[in-house]
Amino acid sequence: LELIANVVPGQIEATYLLSRTRFFVGNIDQSKKDLEKILKMNNSFANGHLLMAQIYSSQGNFDAAAQVSSSER
């Protein structure tokens, strides 16, 4: 996935899957960076917003998670 995301940087789905994988293995900071890049390219990418909210929740930052969730609507 990392190869695809690097070779084709506009491939949002590959970057999202890479970000999600990084989140699940505990690489939160890189996951957030990936998501920021995705949402900069396409702010209406719902899965990106949901994963960002999940990251904030996992860090105990529930206010930020709620803000991400409400900004998606």
Side-chain angles (χ1 to χ4, degrees):
L1 285 174
E2 192 167 0
L3 177 64
I4 294 169
N6 289 333
V7 172
V8 187
Q11 177 54 301
I12 290 175
E13 192 64 32
T15 305
Y16 166 73
L17 291 173
L18 181 60
S19 176
R20 189 171 161 200
T21 301
R22 286 178 168 151
F23 170 69
F24 285 125
V25 299
N27 192 346
I28 306 297
D29 291 336
Q30 188 59 50
S31 178
K32 283 173 71 173
K33 287 179 187 176
D34 292 339
L35 286 173
E36 289 166 357
K37 187 183 342 177
I38 290 168
L39 295 173
K40 194 173 192 177
M41 287 187 288
N42 181 357
N43 193 41
S44 64
F45 186 67
N47 285 337
H49 287 284
L50 292 173
L51 182 55
M52 188 67 85
Q54 190 174 8
I55 288 171
Y56 285 134
S57 292
S58 75
Q59 296 175 323
N61 193 347
F62 302 110
D63 291 335
Q67 188 175 19
V68 169
S69 295
S70 65
S71 72
E72 178 195 345
R73 295 177 198 176

